[in-house]
Amino acid sequence: MVQRTLTFSRGGISALASGVASHAAALAKAHAAERQLYGAPIGKLGAIAEHTLRAAAFDLCAAAISVRAATLVEAWGAGAGYYTAVAKLAGCAYGEEAVTEGRRVLSGRAL
């Protein structure tokens, strides 16, 4: 019974990771838009724009894998155990990468 329950909850962890990725990307984007350097937002600088774009991409990847796991659980039930495990692993990795990219935009403020 516990094993079957964990099969379903692993997909939920990927959804939590997607939320973390979304918030990290939103914080990075907001900071890049409001922080001024040389009379323009730092988001106009190539390196910062690239980091915000990567954070947004990792956010989308985490959300996509989370939604995919949820649809497979809905369709296959406990038979989607392999997919929820993959979603947990990949979703958390994508969330962590989004936080890393956001931390690069925020620099010292990320501490």
Side-chain angles (χ1 to χ4, degrees):
M1 177 110 152
V2 171
Q3 290 295 341
R4 277 188 251 138
T5 303
L6 290 176
T7 296
F8 298 113
S9 68
R10 282 191 295 259
I13 292 170
S14 70
L16 294 173
S18 174
V20 168
S22 294
H23 192 64
L27 286 175
K29 185 177 178 183
H31 180 72
E34 68 187 33
R35 174 83 165 104
Q36 298 284 320
L37 184 65
Y38 307 122
I42 64 170
K44 301 272 184 191
L45 299 172
I48 300 299
E50 188 174 319
H51 289 306
T52 55
L53 182 63
R54 284 184 187 163
F58 285 125
D59 174 25
L60 287 175
C61 289
I65 200 161
S66 175
V67 169
R68 182 67 175 159
T71 58
L72 289 175
V73 166
E74 181 69 28
W76 297 346
Y82 171 79
Y83 296 100
T84 59
V86 170
K88 176 184 174 184
L89 178 70
C92 290
Y94 291 142
E96 193 171 331
E97 289 296 328
V99 169
T100 298
E101 294 298 330
R103 195 172 62 235
R104 289 179 179 149
V105 171
L106 292 167
S107 188
R109 288 174 180 79
L111 298 175

